[in-house]
Amino acid sequence: MAETIEKNVTRGGQFLVKETKCEDIFTPEDFSEEQVMMRDSVKEFVDKELWAHKDRFEKKDYAYTEASMRKAGELGLLGVAVPEEYGGLGMGFVSTMLVCDYISGATGSFSTAFGAHTGIGTMPITLYGTEEQKKKYVPKLASGEWFGSYCLTEPGAGSDANSGKTKAVLSEDGTHYLITGQKMWISNAGFCSVFIVFARIGDDKNITGFIVENDPSNGISMNEEEHKLGIRASSTRQVFFNDTKVPVENMLSERGNGFKIAMNALNVGRIKLAAACLDAQRRVTSGAVKYANERIQFNTPIASFGAIRSKLAEMATSAYAGESASYRAAKNIEDRIAAREAEGTSHQEAELKGVEEFAIECSILKVAVSEDVQNCADEGIQIFGGMGFSEDTPMESAWRDARIARIYEGTNEINRMLSVGMLIKKAMKGHVDLLGPAMKVQEELMGIPSFDTPDFSELFAEEKGIVANLKKVFLMVAGSAVQKYGADLDAHQQLLMAASDILIEIYVAESTILRTEKLAKKEGEAKVQEQIAMAKLYLYKAVDIVNQKGKEGIASFSEGDEQRMMLMGLKRFTKYTNLPNVVALRETIASKLVAENTYCF
């Protein structure tokens, strides 16, 4: 079965060693008519129910967050990923990403409530629950009659999720477990009906998952709402369990399987979190463009100043790039799920394995897009100037809400190390051939470079050549690091972080170029000059980052002739034959934004 799937469907991490054609990736321009209708209905809900009442979220109106969630449930938006037999819409992975994207741009408070409920609140039951558990809980969660919450983090167990101290003790009559422990940073705790709780049975190596109904008379209590920097109307509390009785039939999956459930839930959560940062960038960019067109200084709109236009162009470019990479990965996951189902795998298993296959891309996207949305909001404040610092404009709340995205679903530091670590493990299992390409790079470094000038007459010919060379930088740095440190590479976190930044830039830059190439073939180059400019601008900045991080890595683990050879290789692999006119690229992008008075790509 696995062989059949491998022939037809891309594997996670293979983007690094296989050439991808633009025809083989999915882009937002490929949305079906049904997906466009779904997007538009979600935007209508957000504008009417969330954006129009943004001040209520900033004033910590938790009741309004709950009421908005109920309305989303009535519209079916809480059940997009839930199979139809359990009361959901049973939509594919791309459509669930689309809903998560466009429902999350107005306020991080609602976005967090939505993500916690649909993702880590409902999904573990959908994917790991027994038939009885799914029939009992999922329809209520899909409709918004009940809300879900997820209790993993503890005061002493954050990134090290499996170190939790919460205990589950089997009763003498064997009918139930008694759960005792403390959980913190629990989203939706204030209005949830059911918790997914992780606890340890005896001295088990791994934690176990349980479905626990929220009944205060059953030993469940909570602290007051946390006072947070952002996502102010997202209910976040500490939850205490004191001999809370949980029927044995409410164990989720098998004993000791909790860590696996938690990690797989986080894989899905990571790519959905990337999606949840996209519309926020579009809205911030649109708001900044509108303000820049209206704000007059020195008798002219500030949108005409190069310093402002540069910022607008960079903001739009990061949104476009993040979107390109996110939907590319989403469709790869959807195709992987479909291929497994075609081979006879159950939907549960197919979805689990489909997402797990692209865990590397999920971590890459989580890091890239969460950092881009923060930068975007920061520049939004700067364009607004003093008004950006005021609560009277939406920029300061966008900045505060963006900050949590780099922390939850695994910190960006953890995700950086995971992306490289998982890639190396895949290589060791033979799922991705890194060794062969890495050896070829070594041979190339030892050989005489070609001084022929390639034919760059086709659109993106040079850019695609540069992306191929950036992949060589990663193989050179990571390959040499693996050779030097072997199994101890995990201990060299700063080196892993540098390698990860190279990996991230390769994936996002390539995705942006391929999306734009596909669009240019469909629409004609003349009609997509701004998108071409964004793809080139993103790559230009990516090359700088790869150069910097490559140098950092090489300097940290090599010396003498080896170091000199690798630095020469780095110089060769990050070299442009024709440097782009960066100011002209930004001008092309900014002119379109200013003329349209909104993010328009």
Side-chain angles (χ1 to χ4, degrees):
M1 181 182 90
E3 286 177 16
T4 315
I5 290 172
E6 191 167 353
K7 280 177 193 170
N8 298 327
V9 184
T10 305
R11 292 204 76 140
Q14 279 189 336
F15 70 89
L16 190 67
V17 291
K18 285 195 170 181
E19 185 186 354
T20 305
K21 292 185 166 57
C22 70
E23 292 81 9
D24 295 334
I25 74 156
F26 181 86
T27 76
E29 289 76 32
D30 298 322
F31 288 149
S32 66
E33 197 174 320
E34 181 191 38
Q35 286 167 333
V36 170
M37 285 172 63
M38 175 60 81
R39 180 192 67 191
D40 292 345
S41 67
V42 171
K43 284 167 76 173
E44 186 181 344
F45 165 76
V46 170
D47 287 336
K48 182 182 171 189
E49 304 294 343
L50 308 181
W51 189 256
H53 303 282
K54 194 170 170 66
D55 60 320
R56 296 185 68 170
F57 294 102
E58 295 314 306
K59 289 172 183 169
K60 303 186 181 182
D61 190 341
Y62 301 105
Y64 193 70
T65 300
E66 183 180 352
S68 301
M69 284 286 286
R70 294 211 184 278
K71 285 178 183 170
E74 288 162 14
L75 292 170
L77 299 175
L78 301 182
V80 285
V82 172
E84 290 180 58
E85 60 264 39
Y86 306 113
L89 299 179
M91 290 188 159
F93 200 84
V94 172
S95 295
T96 66
M97 278 279 286
L98 180 72
V99 171
C100 187
D101 172 353
Y102 281 91
I103 210 166
S104 301
T107 165
S109 297
F110 181 85
S111 173
T112 301
F114 177 85
H117 172 79
T118 58
I120 50 183
T122 305
M123 189 183 54
I125 307 176
T126 309
L127 297 184
Y128 286 98
T130 62
E131 194 58 31
E132 291 75 20
Q133 288 169 346
K134 286 187 282 190
K135 284 178 177 170
K136 181 176 181 181
Y137 293 108
V138 177
K140 289 180 179 177
L141 291 166
S143 68
E145 180 186 343
W146 279 21
F147 293 116
S149 194
Y150 183 82
C151 296
L152 177 63
T153 304
E154 299 182 13
S159 295
D160 184 8
N162 201 36
S163 66
K165 301 286 190 290
T166 298
K167 289 286 182 189
V169 179
L170 188 64
S171 63
E172 286 185 16
D173 62 4
T175 61
H176 58 269
Y177 284 92
L178 294 169
I179 292 182
T180 301
Q182 175 185 359
K183 300 290 183 178
M184 67 190 303
W185 309 127
I186 307 307
S187 297
N188 294 355
F191 61 86
C192 80
S193 318
V194 64
F195 298 105
I196 307 296
V197 181
F198 295 91
R200 194 177 311 278
I201 302 171
D203 295 323
D204 286 1
K205 180 186 174 187
N206 291 322
I207 51 181
T208 298
F210 296 90
I211 303 169
V212 182
E213 294 183 24
N214 184 8
D215 177 3
S217 69
N218 186 21
I220 299 174
S221 59
M222 299 181 196
N223 273 7
E224 291 299 307
E225 294 286 355
E226 299 285 356
H227 298 287
K228 308 183 295 292
L229 171 71
I231 56 171
R232 286 180 171 174
S234 157
S235 174
T236 312
R237 294 185 170 192
Q238 289 191 51
V239 183
F240 302 89
F241 300 94
N242 184 17
D243 283 343
T244 300
K245 291 173 75 170
V246 182
V248 290
E249 59 267 26
N250 274 31
M251 181 187 286
L252 192 57
S253 186
E254 301 162 9
R255 177 172 174 168
N257 222 18
F259 186 61
K260 189 177 178 183
I261 295 170
M263 291 305 100
N264 281 326
L266 288 173
N267 283 336
V268 182
R270 281 163 186 155
I271 190 168
K272 294 283 179 74
L273 178 60
C277 294
L278 293 173
D279 197 49
Q281 287 187 78
R282 296 187 201 103
R283 285 176 182 266
V284 166
T285 304
S286 292
V289 172
K290 286 179 171 65
Y291 184 81
N293 273 329
E294 291 165 6
R295 174 70 168 164
I296 306 295
Q297 289 292 280
F298 309 104
N299 298 319
T300 186
I302 64 170
S304 64
F305 299 139
I308 300 296
R309 294 168 81 83
S310 171
K311 292 182 187 301
L312 294 174
E314 297 282 359
M315 291 160 74
T317 297
S318 71
Y320 179 77
E323 194 180 61
S324 306
S326 296
Y327 285 101
R328 173 190 183 180
K331 186 62 163 69
N332 283 339
I333 291 170
E334 183 170 289
D335 288 347
R336 189 81 181 176
I337 293 167
R340 284 197 170 271
E341 286 183 323
E343 297 283 357
T345 308
S346 70
H347 174 75
Q348 282 172 287
E349 186 70 10
E351 185 147 335
L352 278 169
K353 293 295 182 187
V355 176
E356 193 178 353
E357 178 63 48
F358 289 92
I360 295 164
E361 286 81 353
C362 292
S363 282
I364 284 172
L365 289 164
K366 191 273 181 183
V367 173
V369 189
S370 67
E371 293 183 358
D372 282 345
V373 73
Q374 185 83 64
N375 293 335
C376 184
D378 197 70
E379 291 289 44
I381 288 177
Q382 198 68 12
I383 289 168
F384 271 67
M387 284 305 296
F389 206 69
S390 166
E391 288 188 2
D392 292 338
T393 64
M395 289 298 158
E396 67 88 36
S397 63
W399 186 88
R400 286 187 290 97
D401 283 355
R403 188 59 187 85
I404 187 60
R406 287 151 59 194
I407 297 171
Y408 55 22
E409 308 296 349
T411 66
N412 282 12
E413 291 70 27
I414 288 284
N415 274 290
R416 277 185 161 91
M417 290 183 283
L418 271 175
S419 60
V420 178
M422 289 187 291
L423 184 61
I424 291 167
K425 279 179 188 161
K426 276 200 163 210
M428 288 174 174
K429 287 180 183 174
H431 292 176
V432 178
D433 176 21
L434 290 185
L435 187 61
M439 295 297 287
K440 283 182 182 172
V441 174
Q442 292 270 9
E443 289 167 18
E444 189 175 338
L445 287 174
M446 303 293 283
I448 299 166
S450 167
F451 294 103
D452 295 341
T453 304
D455 177 13
F456 291 142
S457 54
E458 268 193 29
L459 177 66
F460 293 134
E462 180 168 7
E463 287 76 13
K464 287 197 281 187
I466 289 170
V467 169
N469 279 339
L470 298 185
K471 293 177 184 182
K472 291 176 187 176
V473 174
F474 180 86
L475 291 165
M476 176 177 72
V477 173
S480 299
V482 170
Q483 278 183 327
K484 187 173 179 71
Y485 299 117
D488 293 332
L489 184 60
D490 282 357
H492 298 270
Q493 291 191 351
Q494 293 186 53
L495 184 54
L496 284 172
M497 301 266 282
S500 172
D501 282 340
I502 297 170
L503 194 64
I504 289 165
E505 294 306 325
I506 289 166
Y507 188 71
V508 180
E510 181 180 69
S511 301
T512 310
I513 288 165
L514 292 174
R515 173 189 181 179
T516 310
E517 183 187 14
K518 188 175 185 180
L519 185 61
K521 285 183 176 180
K522 181 183 171 188
E523 301 287 343
E525 287 181 39
K527 288 187 179 176
V528 293
Q529 285 301 304
E530 296 81 18
Q531 288 91 331
I532 291 169
M534 287 192 285
K536 289 183 175 183
L537 179 61
Y538 190 92
L539 179 65
Y540 175 80
K541 298 195 79 177
V543 169
D544 267 359
I545 292 167
V546 171
N547 196 9
Q548 179 200 340
K549 297 297 179 178
K551 193 185 295 182
E552 184 183 315
I554 292 164
S556 68
F557 68 78
S558 65
E559 53 188 23
D561 288 343
E562 181 195 20
Q563 187 182 92
R564 278 189 286 276
M565 182 181 72
M566 290 175 75
L567 287 171
M568 282 172 63
L570 178 65
K571 191 174 180 182
R572 190 195 309 177
F573 296 146
T574 54
K575 183 184 175 186
Y576 273 90
T577 303
N578 303 290
L579 268 175
N581 182 334
V582 180
V583 171
L585 293 177
R586 291 196 193 112
E587 270 301 308
T588 297
I589 302 159
S591 294
K592 178 76 169 175
L593 290 166
V594 169
E596 298 285 339
N597 201 31
T598 189
Y599 178 86
C600 50
F601 303 110

